[in-house]
Amino acid sequence: MLNIVIFGAPGSGKGTQSELLIKRYGLKHVSTGDLLRFEIKEGTELGKIADHYISKGQLVPDDIMIEILEDLIKKNLDKKGFIFDGFPRTLPQGEALNNKLKKNGLDITAVLSLEVNDEALIDRLLKRGQISGRSDDNDDTIKSRLHVYHQQTEPLKEYYAKQNKLVYIPGEGTIDEVFNSIEKAINNLTNG
Ligand code: AP5
Ligand code: MG
């Protein structure tokens, strides 16, 4: 199984590149953000809780997210592999992902970290905010999301670097250029 974590700040292109990866490699897309937005739209209990955090740019608590993740893995073990988009975002989430995969005899192939500077991120998200209808694509919430990323999520890079899983991908080129770098990185990993 090819199990990829697509890692990066809000607006770094995780969702965009995931779609291309799914087409190319037929992986199961696990986007915790998409899942939570669906729950919000449906007005479920989980959606109500998630809305409270998402609209402020804060993280949904780990216990909730880990339960969701474990359930998603369990239900998709017949797939060719996973692309984890937006998970993990904290060290406990990273540990939970490693443990759950290991219990099923699986492992993360690589963590691809899309590197984009904060100014470009803000620019992309403000632009998307004009059409996306996402409650978190506004000036104040974008700033909180970036702050939360640097404080709580970015330390995972060190966690994965220690496991020799971290691959940096320049994320500021065109969508195709970024995807080319990703493909090269995956080819390097899978061809030894
Ligand atoms: P989530 O949905 O994961 O959002 P995010 O991390 O804030 O990132 P985005 O989806 O905004 O950006 P992206 O990296 O996918 O980039 P995209 O491809 O869209 O999470 C949302 C919230 O849910 C969190 O804040 C949290 O509250 C909660 N949550 C989710 N998971 C959680 C977890 N595990 N634990 C706790 N809470 C959780 O691209 C962005 C824009 O840029 C688009 O308009 C795109 O067209 C454009 N673009 C993409 N690539 C390029 C390029 N190369 N050049 C120019 N523009 C580009
Ligand atoms: Mg996304």
Side-chain angles (χ1 to χ4, degrees), residues 1-3 26-28 75-82:
M1 263 177 136
L2 184 63
N3 298 312
L27 307 175
K28 165 73 186 169
K75 284 185 182 147
N76 289 287
L77 286 166
D78 57 331
K79 302 291 191 314
K80 280 190 192 166
F82 291 98

Side-chain angles (χ1 to χ4, degrees), residues 125-141:
L125 293 175
L126 283 175
K127 260 193 210 137
R128 189 181 63 188
Q130 293 167 2
I131 47 162
S132 71
R134 269 178 61 162
S135 67
D136 56 352
D137 279 348
N138 59 73
D139 202 25
D140 281 350
T141 313

Side-chain angles (χ1 to χ4, degrees), residues 98-155:
N98 271 5
N99 290 337
K100 184 69 187 178
L101 289 174
K102 205 168 153 194
K103 270 190 203 146
N104 289 288
L106 302 172
D107 196 9
I108 291 170
T109 314
V111 177
L112 307 176
S113 179
L114 299 173
E115 300 293 315
V116 179
N117 77 59
D118 281 11
E119 272 160 63
L121 295 169
I122 293 169
D123 196 48
R124 285 184 190 181
L125 293 175
L126 283 175
K127 260 193 210 137
R128 189 181 63 188
Q130 293 167 2
I131 47 162
S132 71
R134 269 178 61 162
S135 67
D136 56 352
D137 279 348
N138 59 73
D139 202 25
D140 281 350
T141 313
I142 290 168
K143 286 195 182 112
S144 325
R145 286 158 73 195
L146 287 177
H147 180 75
V148 165
Y149 171 76
H150 291 304
Q151 296 291 314
Q152 298 185 50
T153 305
E154 212 167 14

Side-chain angles (χ1 to χ4, degrees), residues 175-189:
I175 291 170
D176 286 345
E177 283 166 354
V178 177
F179 189 63
N180 279 340
S181 307
I182 288 180
E183 272 195 309
K184 269 189 204 141
I186 293 179
N187 285 340
N188 280 342
L189 289 161

Side-chain angles (χ1 to χ4, degrees), residues 53 94 143 164-165:
Y53 293 97
K143 286 195 182 112
N164 287 321
K165 303 275 188 211

Side-chain angles (χ1 to χ4, degrees), residues 10 15 22 36 44 46 51 89-90 97 102 166 191:
I22 295 158
L36 295 172
T44 64
L46 171 59
D51 191 30
R89 281 176 129 95
T90 62
L97 177 60
K102 205 168 153 194
L166 187 69
N191 297 333

